[in-house]
């Protein structure tokens, strides 16, 4: 597509439920990134996919967080047993390397 | 420790005034450097980037930034601010050999008439 698409744009979930966030990168972009942005804070790196290589999961905050990507297409970020501190905007970006990220509009997750 | 610092959390300027947003980083080698802007409820938009060469880079919307190696800084400037520039601005650094960008905590710009 023309840009990075994320869905849903907003998600309200009850504490303890699992959620899945979706990211459709720009076609042809081999790299895909997930970031978390808490209210009033900067972006926190979560995970990075590059082609068919093993993902860099060094930013995932706990084992409740996981992500998958099939080839160079869609990625899903899954948060299990959500907690209130998981409330944030989750941003996805894709690129052909570090030289230019394109961000999606994000998914605003609210855990109540 | 490796870090990206934006020392100004919030800046208020009058429309038409000049603007400078500060960014300092601490990484070993000269990294890739970026400035992004985020309007409320939106994703991040790339304003400009520096990889090598001329240390003064021009971006979109009339913004420019200057890389100063001796100061490990990459400050963003605009000679005359417009009301539509009100947004959150993020400096980002891509260290050599890293897989991802590291972001500062952002500077919120308010523009008053």
């Amino acid at each position: 597509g023309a840009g990075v698409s994320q869905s849903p744009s907003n998600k309200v979930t009850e504490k303890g439920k699992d959620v899945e966030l979706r990211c459709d990168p720009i076609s042809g972009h081999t790299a895909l990134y997930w970031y978390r942005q808490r209210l009033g804070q900067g972006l926190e790196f979560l995970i990075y996919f590059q082609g068919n290589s093993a993902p860099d999961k060094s930013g995932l905050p706990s084992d409740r967080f996981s992500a998958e990507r099939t080839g160079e297409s869609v990625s899903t970020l899954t948060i299990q047993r959500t907690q209130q501190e998981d409330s944030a905007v989750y941003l996805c970006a894709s690129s052909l390397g570090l030289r230019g990220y394109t961000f999606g509009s994000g998914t605003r997750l609210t855990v109540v | 420790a490796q870090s990206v610092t934006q020392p100004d959390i919030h800046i208020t300027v009058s429309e038409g005034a000049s603007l400078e947003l500060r960014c300092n980083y601490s990484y070993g080698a000269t990294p890739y450097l970026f400035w992004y802007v985020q309007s409320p409820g939106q994703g991040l938009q790339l304003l400009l980037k520096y990889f090598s060469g001329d240390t003064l880079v021009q971006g979109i919307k009339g913004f420019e930034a200057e890389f100063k190696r001796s100061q490990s800084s990459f400050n963003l400037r605009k000679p005359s601010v417009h009301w539509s520039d009100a947004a959150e601005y993020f400096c980002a650094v891509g260290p050599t050999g890293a897989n991802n960008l590291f972001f500062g905590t952002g500077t919120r710009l308010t523009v008053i008439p």
Side-chain angles (χ1 to χ4, degrees):
Chain A
V4 177
S5 177
Q6 291 189 246
S7 60
S9 54
N10 281 283
K11 176 73 177 178
V12 179
T13 189
E14 292 181 353
K15 178 181 174 181
K17 300 282 189 183
D18 297 351
V19 294
E20 271 193 4
L21 313 180
R22 177 186 169 104
C23 173
D24 276 283
I26 291 175
S27 178
H29 278 192
T30 56
L32 186 146
Y33 309 79
W34 284 98
Y35 284 81
R36 177 170 70 179
Q37 185 179 27
R38 289 189 165 128
L39 185 64
Q41 298 187 20
L43 278 71
E44 176 187 0
F45 167 72
L46 296 178
I47 189 168
Y48 158 73
F49 295 91
Q50 173 63 53
N52 293 316
S53 302
D56 176 354
K57 304 180 181 180
S58 60
L60 294 178
S62 77
D63 59 7
R64 295 187 296 105
F65 287 73
S66 63
E68 293 184 347
R69 186 185 188 196
T70 305
E72 295 180 357
S73 62
V74 171
S75 174
T76 55
L77 176 69
T78 301
I79 308 173
Q80 296 178 310
R81 305 181 302 281
T82 51
Q83 304 295 313
Q84 288 187 328
E85 63 262 28
D86 299 334
S87 295
V89 175
Y90 289 83
L91 290 164
C92 175
S94 70
S95 75
L96 280 173
L98 274 184
R99 291 187 166 233
Y101 278 22
T102 301
F103 280 88
S105 297
T107 294
R108 181 175 299 279
L109 175 66
T110 304
V111 182
V112 297
Chain B
Q2 297 179 334
S3 66
V4 183
T5 302
Q6 293 181 248
D8 304 304
I9 296 173
H10 184 202
I11 285 182
T12 301
V13 299
S14 298
E15 191 168 16
S18 63
L19 171 71
E20 182 169 27
L21 303 182
R22 296 181 290 166
C23 175
N24 293 91
Y25 63 90
S26 61
Y27 290 94
T30 300
Y32 297 150
L33 299 163
F34 305 80
W35 275 99
Y36 285 85
V37 60
Q38 185 180 35
S39 297
Q42 303 295 313
L44 277 74
Q45 181 183 21
L46 179 67
L47 284 176
L48 48 77
K49 56 192 175 187
Y50 172 80
F51 300 138
S52 64
D54 192 346
T55 56
L56 184 64
V57 293
Q58 302 297 320
I60 62 171
K61 305 184 180 186
F63 285 92
E64 66 177 28
E66 185 172 12
F67 167 59
K68 292 186 177 180
R69 185 189 307 275
S70 61
Q71 298 176 19
S72 296
S73 69
F74 189 56
N75 294 348
L76 181 71
R77 301 195 294 249
K78 186 169 184 177
S80 177
V81 170
H82 188 264
W83 64 266
S84 60
D85 293 325
E88 188 93 18
Y89 290 81
F90 291 94
C91 178
V93 171
T96 304
N99 292 331
N100 55 283
L101 298 185
F102 295 89
F103 287 80
T105 51
T107 297
R108 183 161 60 94
L109 174 66
T110 298
V111 180
I112 56 176

